[in-house]
């Protein structure tokens, strides 16, 4: 596609619910990143994929967070048993290679109540 | 790990003014990017600039990797330049993450 597409745009979850956030990167982009942005802060790295391989998941805050990209295109970030501190904007970015400029999606704003 | 600091944290300009935003990083980096986050939250890549100087219209950027800083210049500012400017630094040593600074919040007044 022309840009990075994320869905849903907004998500409200009750504490304890599981959520799945989707990222559709630019066609042909090998590298895909997930970031978390809290209000008033810069984005913080969660995980990195090169094609279908998850090469870096050092930023995932707990084992409740899980990401996959099974066919090397669309990626899903799953959060199990959501907690209030998970409330943030979740951003996806893609690029043709790691050492290239990112294109970010519009993000998913997750609110846990 | 890499630390990224940006200055100034806040900036208010009159339309037409010029400004310089600074990004200091604590360690050797292989990659550096500048982004603009508009008031609707969209992050737009301005420059991928691990070293040297680039220009794009009214914006230009310079990175001096050996001295661990990067500068973003905005000339003849417009109200549409308002938002938050982030720099993000990355390294190839064992991780693929970019570390973002806390941003410079720019408001351009008409």
């Amino acid at each position: 596609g022309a840009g990075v597409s994320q869905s849903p745009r907004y998500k409200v979850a009750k504490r304890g619910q599981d959520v799945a956030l989707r990222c559709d990167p630019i066609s042909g982009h090998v590298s895909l990143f997930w970031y978390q942005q809290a209000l008033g802060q810069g984005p913080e790295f969660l995980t990195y994929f090169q094609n279908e391989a998850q090469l870096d998941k050092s930023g995932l805050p707990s084992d409740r967070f899980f990401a996959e990209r099974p066919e090397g295109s669309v990626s899903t970030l799953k959060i199990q048993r959501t907690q209030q501190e998970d409330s943030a904007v979740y951003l996806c970015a893609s690029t043709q290679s790691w050492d290239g400029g990112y294109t970010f999606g519009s993000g998913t704003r997750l609110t846990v109540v | 790990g890499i630390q990224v600091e940006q200055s100034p944290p806040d900036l208010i300009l009159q339309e037409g003014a010029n400004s310089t935003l600074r990004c200091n990083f604590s360690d050797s980096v292989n990659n550096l990017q500048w982004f603009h986050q508009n008031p609707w939250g969209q992050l737009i890549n301005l420059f991928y600039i691990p070293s040297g100087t680039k220009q794009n219209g009214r914006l230009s950027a310079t990175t001096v990797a050996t001295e661990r800083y990067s500068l973003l210049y905005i000339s003849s500012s417009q109200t549409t330049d308002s938002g938050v400017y982030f720099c993000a630094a990355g390294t190839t040593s064992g991780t693929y993450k970019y570390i973002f600074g806390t941003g410079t919040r720019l408001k351009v007044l008409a």
Side-chain angles (χ1 to χ4, degrees):
Chain A
V4 178
S5 177
Q6 291 190 246
S7 61
R9 187 78 175 89
Y10 302 93
K11 177 69 180 178
V12 179
K14 290 186 178 178
R15 194 159 57 107
Q17 268 187 330
D18 298 349
V19 298
L21 312 179
R22 177 187 168 107
C23 172
D24 202 337
I26 292 173
S27 179
H29 276 193
V30 167
S31 297
L32 184 146
F33 305 80
W34 283 97
Y35 281 80
Q36 180 191 58
Q37 187 174 23
L39 192 63
Q41 304 294 318
E44 292 194 358
F45 173 83
L46 293 176
T47 188
Y48 165 64
F49 289 88
Q50 186 174 55
N51 294 307
E52 68 279 3
Q54 189 175 22
L55 297 187
D56 190 342
K57 54 182 181 179
S58 61
L60 296 176
S62 76
D63 59 7
R64 296 186 296 104
F65 287 70
F66 171 75
E68 60 184 4
R69 194 186 184 197
E71 296 177 3
S73 54
V74 171
S75 178
T76 304
L77 177 67
K78 297 179 179 177
I79 309 174
Q80 296 178 322
R81 304 181 304 281
T82 52
Q83 300 178 4
Q84 278 194 314
E85 62 261 30
D86 300 335
S87 295
V89 176
Y90 290 85
L91 295 160
C92 175
S94 73
T95 182
Q96 277 194 313
S97 63
W98 181 81
D99 54 350
Y102 283 5
T103 300
F104 273 98
S106 300
T108 294
R109 182 177 297 277
L110 173 65
T111 304
V112 181
V113 298
Chain B
I2 301 169
Q3 310 278 332
V4 179
E5 293 183 354
Q6 292 185 243
S7 59
D10 297 281
L11 188 57
I12 299 176
L13 297 175
Q14 206 63 42
E15 201 169 27
N18 303 329
S19 62
T20 301
L21 281 56
R22 186 176 181 102
C23 173
N24 291 334
F25 40 91
S26 64
D27 214 338
S28 299
V29 301
N30 304 100
N31 296 290
L32 190 124
Q33 301 186 60
W34 282 97
F35 295 91
H36 174 222
Q37 190 163 40
N38 66 24
W40 298 271
Q42 180 68 49
L43 272 163
I44 305 295
N45 183 280
L46 299 175
F47 294 102
Y48 171 76
I49 186 165
S51 63
T53 298
K54 289 186 177 179
Q55 179 153 9
N56 184 2
R58 296 181 295 103
L59 303 181
S60 64
T62 296
T63 297
V64 184
T66 52
E67 297 186 21
R68 299 182 183 173
Y69 73 89
S70 183
L71 302 174
L72 178 69
Y73 306 96
I74 305 173
S75 65
S76 305
S77 57
Q78 301 176 357
T79 55
T80 52
D81 295 333
S82 297
V84 184
Y85 289 81
F86 290 103
C87 72
T91 176
T92 50
S93 62
T95 180
Y96 294 87
K97 66 175 71 172
Y98 273 81
I99 304 299
F100 280 72
T102 51
T104 292
R105 284 154 186 76
L106 173 64
K107 185 164 187 177
V108 181
L109 304 175

